[in-house]
Amino acid sequence: MSTRKAPTGTSRPTTYREALREGLREALLQDERVFLMGEDVGRYGGCFGVSLGLLEEFGPDRIRDTPLSESGFVGAGIGAALGGMRPVVEIMTVNFSLLALDQILNNAATLLHMSGGQLSVPVVIRMTTGAGRQLGAQHSHSLEGWYAHIPGIRVLAPATVDDARHMLAAALADPDPVLIFEHGGLYNAEGSLDETVDAVDLDTAAVRRSGTDVSVITYGGSLPKALAAAETLAGEGVSAEVVDLRALRPLDDATVMASIARTHRAVIVDEAWRSGSLAAEISSRITEQAFYELDAPVQRVCSAEVPIPYARQLEEAALPQPATIVDAVRRTVS
Amino acid sequence: MSSTTSHHEGKARATARKSGRKKGPTTAARGTPDGLPVPGHHLSLLRRMLAIRRFEERCVELYSGAKIRGFVHLCIGEEAVAVGVNQALREEDAVVSTYREHGHALARGVPADAVMAEMYGRATGCSRGRGGSMHLFDAARRFYGGNAIVAGGLPLAAGLALADRMRGSTRVTCCFFGDGAFAEGEFHETANLAALWQLPLLMVCENNLYAMGTSLAREHAQTNLAMRAASYGMPAWTVDGMDVLAVEAAALRATESVRAGNGPHFLEAQTYRFRAHSMYDPDRYRAKSEIEEWKGRDPLKGLAELMRSEGQLDDRVMEELDKEVLAEIDEAVRGAEEAPLEPVADLLRFVTSEPGSTA
């Protein structure tokens, strides 16, 4: 573990990356069946530095570098889970996970049902998602919504250090496959880890900021942007409630609808493309379940329908930003 | 068994194998300590192959009568591979199979009535009616399907083997796949991973010369599969897949070596399916003469002839055997016909684990 500041009171500052590492380390310490497997997780320390130091502590059997063969090692993780282990499989980015989509969809998500309940697959698959680091189209897409389409898996998107710290333990306790999407823009984000929290549940969305005029519904890397937008709006006299979905499948409809019952307006912020997005699904659910609560049409802030470009100004323009969220809120409250 | 067999067409191979089979083991590979065959061993192999043959023949009738549906892939002609390999496996070992898996399941010991009920989509089926012919599972017997994505089961098998290796177990995981799967990236990813990590994995390639309707020479730049598998640094052998004794001997040798910690092994069984790829397939891509030629090397007939020549089999025993096997299948069909349907109210079960399940 890297050194960090001494705890102060019931919370201490940490980064999203360190919180993830603490979660991993705890899982490895607590259960011998847990092991980490993926591209560059060992000697390299994880391509985003999440597993730095774990090889030295736990050895190459449990911190297992794999070849660059996503389908092979993700499938091996699924097989190891079938064989009684608790593998945590890391894929560098969601873009590369498409090479393992067959294993995730046709095996991990499907075996329990196809076998009539005989084979559960307690595998956890972690990967990076999202843009904002000028990495070009093949390292920047937000495809977690595709995974959220699939029955049989749980899809998580930690946006805070507390979720980064504790979601893994909860995921490992789930007998079914869990995918954890870590936004690449959050690894360096600092937060205050609440030391009174020692577990999180994976079923409920969280209201990260209370408000009365509009519900801004988001998740993952867009949460800080939504909170920044809410701060700006507060200065204009608009009270925005910010809902962090946390789990993209299953979706916690109740928290979303309860928020809309308070605010009567909804803006959904989703870094994925608008067409066929998770934002579209949430919008549809709001229409189905809370239509008569609405005082205005649901607004969506999504990425431009373009492969995410490299050039900074183009990339920034393609992604949801605090200013575009503020604009969308203004449209809905006007 | 050879590690250098090269072949470009079935005909030449068929001829070579016909003469080669005589040189194969003529006594049971699994012998008593003094090397004598276990009494009844050949008969038990014959019975297992016959059970698979008759089961699938019944499937043809049931399919024609619309009693069972879906894609049904038969392994008639390939029984020696399923039976010979399973003979070398132990209860604690694991088997990962493909969509052509009736033979693997039955040879593994999955009860015929559970398999038949699954074909009928009944509640008593081995996958509770959610799998069908292509997705047979039996967790208690460590039979992990039933994968209809060509080569999709191979990484799973590597993972099962990894779990065993990490826990210091000497269990073996065996995966079956076809020559078509050999062209998939997942075969190569699995072979690399298994050899790199020295996993206790037996990779059994059932080379029946056709990937659905595409012949080996039209799907592979290099048709010597064992040579290619060997390039990953694992022992790779080719065996006559129409000779159950040869398959059994090769599989025993391979599993013993895997169990001894020598990493993965590759076994290519050269075999042939006498029927089309599936019940939908008009089989226009194979010459009648080629099919007839391979039928001349029927693994059941081959073993029966050997047993007759050694005085282990006569018409009476054969009739008795057939009667027993058919009675079992009749019983399985009767059971499936009478079995309850899985309730539609349970449609959404088994998507996620039910309360009470723990990781």
Side-chain angles (χ1 to χ4, degrees):
Chain A
M1 291 296 298
S2 61
T3 53
R4 44 168 203 265
K5 290 170 195 160
T8 54
T10 55
S11 69
R12 60 178 160 85
T14 188
T15 63
Y16 186 80
R17 171 186 293 109
E18 283 169 354
L20 286 165
R21 187 187 304 137
E22 278 185 48
L24 266 170
R25 185 168 176 271
E26 180 190 58
L28 287 156
L29 285 170
Q30 288 195 345
D31 188 342
E32 284 190 348
R33 299 171 303 171
V34 172
F35 67 101
L36 176 67
M37 167 165 70
E39 296 155 329
D40 278 334
V41 298
R43 213 163 279 268
Y44 192 98
C47 59
F48 297 101
V50 170
S51 50
L52 202 65
L54 296 182
L55 173 67
E56 289 72 15
E57 185 172 0
F58 295 99
D61 203 39
R62 297 183 70 198
I63 307 296
R64 193 169 275 267
D65 280 320
T66 63
L68 306 187
S69 52
E70 286 81 2
S71 189
F73 73 74
V74 171
I78 296 165
L82 286 173
M85 301 297 282
R86 291 293 176 275
V88 178
V89 183
E90 177 176 316
I91 305 174
M92 278 192 196
T93 86
V94 65
N95 307 74
F96 308 164
S97 79
L98 302 187
L99 283 87
L101 189 53
D102 165 55
Q103 288 298 329
I104 295 170
L105 171 52
N106 285 317
N107 284 330
T110 308
L111 281 169
L112 180 69
H113 189 78
M114 280 199 308
S115 68
Q118 293 179 77
L119 302 178
S120 65
V121 184
V123 69
V124 175
I125 303 172
R126 301 171 39 237
M127 65 189 95
T128 315
T129 187
R133 293 162 297 146
Q134 284 195 265
L135 300 177
Q138 293 181 346
H139 282 72
S140 299
H141 289 150
S142 293
L143 304 177
E144 54 276 5
W146 287 4
Y147 287 100
H149 179 65
I150 303 169
I153 56 178
R154 187 188 285 275
V155 179
L156 305 177
T160 66
V161 290
D162 286 325
D163 279 356
R165 172 66 183 81
H166 296 295
M167 270 188 175
L168 180 65
L172 283 165
D174 190 320
D176 301 317
V178 180
L179 270 57
I180 302 179
F181 288 88
E182 300 162 8
H183 195 287
L186 291 179
Y187 286 117
N188 290 328
E190 293 207 1
S192 186
L193 190 68
D194 184 345
E195 295 198 302
T196 63
V197 171
D198 58 5
V200 296
D201 82 85
L202 303 179
D203 295 318
T204 53
V207 176
R208 299 295 185 196
R209 178 187 176 114
S210 295
T212 52
D213 296 331
V214 60
S215 298
V216 179
I217 299 150
T218 190
Y219 67 90
S222 297
L223 178 65
K225 294 175 179 178
L227 289 169
E231 197 59 36
T232 304
L233 289 160
E236 299 174 9
V238 177
S239 168
E241 178 151 303
V242 178
V243 178
D244 173 9
L245 292 169
R246 303 175 69 237
L248 310 185
R249 186 182 188 96
L251 276 168
D252 172 15
D253 291 351
T255 299
V256 171
M257 303 314 154
S259 177
I260 288 165
R262 286 190 289 274
T263 65
H264 309 290
R265 289 177 174 82
V267 173
I268 304 161
V269 185
D270 178 359
E271 197 178 305
W273 296 300
R274 177 185 301 253
S275 303
S277 60
L278 195 67
E281 173 65 24
I282 295 161
S283 174
S284 182
R285 289 187 188 208
I286 292 169
T287 308
E288 288 164 348
Q289 298 174 41
F291 183 76
Y292 294 107
E293 295 287 352
L294 290 174
D295 286 344
V298 174
Q299 297 281 323
R300 285 191 282 157
V301 182
C302 298
S303 284
E305 306 256 338
V306 59
I308 303 299
Y310 160 74
R312 178 177 295 279
Q313 77 286 3
L314 297 179
E315 185 184 43
E316 280 177 2
L319 303 177
Q321 300 295 352
T324 51
I325 300 168
V326 167
D327 287 347
V329 170
R330 284 183 190 138
R331 280 198 300 277
T332 189
V333 297
S334 64
Chain B
M1 172 170 26
S2 117
S3 57
T4 54
T5 308
S6 131
H7 47 80
H8 295 283
E9 52 184 77
K11 194 179 168 186
R13 249 179 50 191
T15 317
R17 290 284 142 198
K18 214 177 285 176
S19 54
R21 192 177 61 73
K22 295 265 167 22
K23 284 182 251 155
T26 51
T27 53
R30 179 168 287 178
T32 54
D34 53 5
L36 295 171
V38 174
H41 178 68
H42 288 187
L43 195 65
S44 121
L45 294 178
L46 186 63
R47 193 186 194 289
R48 282 158 198 246
M49 289 199 290
L50 191 65
I52 296 168
R53 174 72 55 94
R54 295 285 183 253
F55 183 92
E56 292 210 316
E57 286 170 350
R58 185 65 57 87
C59 286
V60 175
E61 290 168 27
L62 294 168
Y63 189 89
S64 306
K67 293 284 192 182
I68 60 177
R69 297 274 81 193
F71 280 137
V72 176
H73 307 87
L74 304 175
C75 71
I76 291 174
E78 302 181 1
E79 296 91 341
V81 188
V83 170
V85 170
N86 271 285
Q87 197 64 30
L89 297 173
R90 300 177 184 168
E91 248 178 53
E92 69 266 23
D93 296 335
V95 173
V96 175
S97 183
T98 67
Y99 52 88
R100 194 183 306 286
E101 94 265 43
H102 305 156
H104 302 150
L106 295 170
R108 182 65 188 160
V110 184
D113 48 5
V115 178
M116 188 58 83
E118 188 57 34
M119 310 286 280
Y120 270 76
R122 300 297 165 114
T124 53
C126 61
S127 306
R128 295 183 74 150
R130 285 161 178 82
S133 165
M134 296 192 284
H135 306 299
L136 307 174
F137 293 90
D138 188 335
R141 290 177 179 81
R142 304 203 74 216
F143 187 76
Y144 295 98
N147 205 307
I149 308 294
V150 170
L154 271 57
L156 293 188
L160 285 160
L162 173 63
D164 285 335
R165 177 164 170 95
M166 288 183 76
R167 285 181 301 208
S169 160
T170 57
R171 300 195 297 195
V172 173
T173 297
C174 167
C175 55
F176 291 98
F177 54 95
D179 47 294
F182 203 110
E184 291 264 356
E186 282 183 315
F187 166 79
H188 299 276
E189 293 190 18
T190 302
N192 180 51
L193 208 60
L196 184 70
W197 290 349
Q198 289 292 287
L199 302 179
L201 181 66
L202 175 61
M203 305 184 83
V204 179
C205 179
E206 295 178 308
N207 177 4
N208 64 16
L209 295 173
Y210 291 88
M212 200 165 155
T214 304
S215 66
L216 193 70
R218 293 177 61 227
E219 56 163 328
H220 287 281
Q222 168 54 265
T223 57
N224 187 331
L225 304 184
M227 184 183 84
R228 291 166 67 192
S231 76
Y232 286 101
M234 69 173 97
W237 304 326
T238 296
V239 66
D240 179 1
M242 307 307 268
D243 180 345
V244 67
L245 298 174
V247 174
E248 182 190 28
L252 273 168
R253 184 179 154 203
T255 50
E256 275 166 21
S257 184
V258 172
R259 248 181 261 287
N262 296 321
H265 286 54
F266 176 91
L267 193 58
E268 177 201 14
Q270 297 183 334
T271 185
Y272 200 81
R273 55 175 161 73
F274 295 166
R275 298 186 60 93
H277 168 73
S278 78
M279 294 298 294
Y280 278 114
D281 171 8
D283 206 357
R284 295 195 193 95
Y285 47 87
R286 305 192 298 186
K288 290 261 183 314
S289 58
E290 179 185 289
I291 300 170
E292 288 313 309
E293 188 163 351
W294 278 90
K295 280 184 176 172
R297 303 180 51 224
D298 187 324
L300 275 75
K301 277 188 206 152
L303 181 62
E305 275 168 24
L306 176 71
M307 289 171 69
R308 282 175 198 272
S309 75
E310 292 184 349
Q312 293 189 54
L313 186 70
D314 57 28
D315 290 346
R316 189 191 55 78
V317 174
M318 193 66 213
E319 274 169 38
E320 200 59 36
L321 208 59
D322 217 9
K323 227 165 76 182
E324 270 176 39
V325 163
L326 287 171
E328 274 176 25
I329 294 166
D330 287 341
E331 193 49 45
V333 170
R334 187 164 39 248
E337 294 267 355
E338 291 168 3
L341 297 175
E342 186 74 351
V344 172
D346 286 352
L347 170 68
L348 298 183
R349 286 186 70 189
F350 316 126
V351 176
T352 53
S353 294
E354 305 196 336
S357 311
T358 48

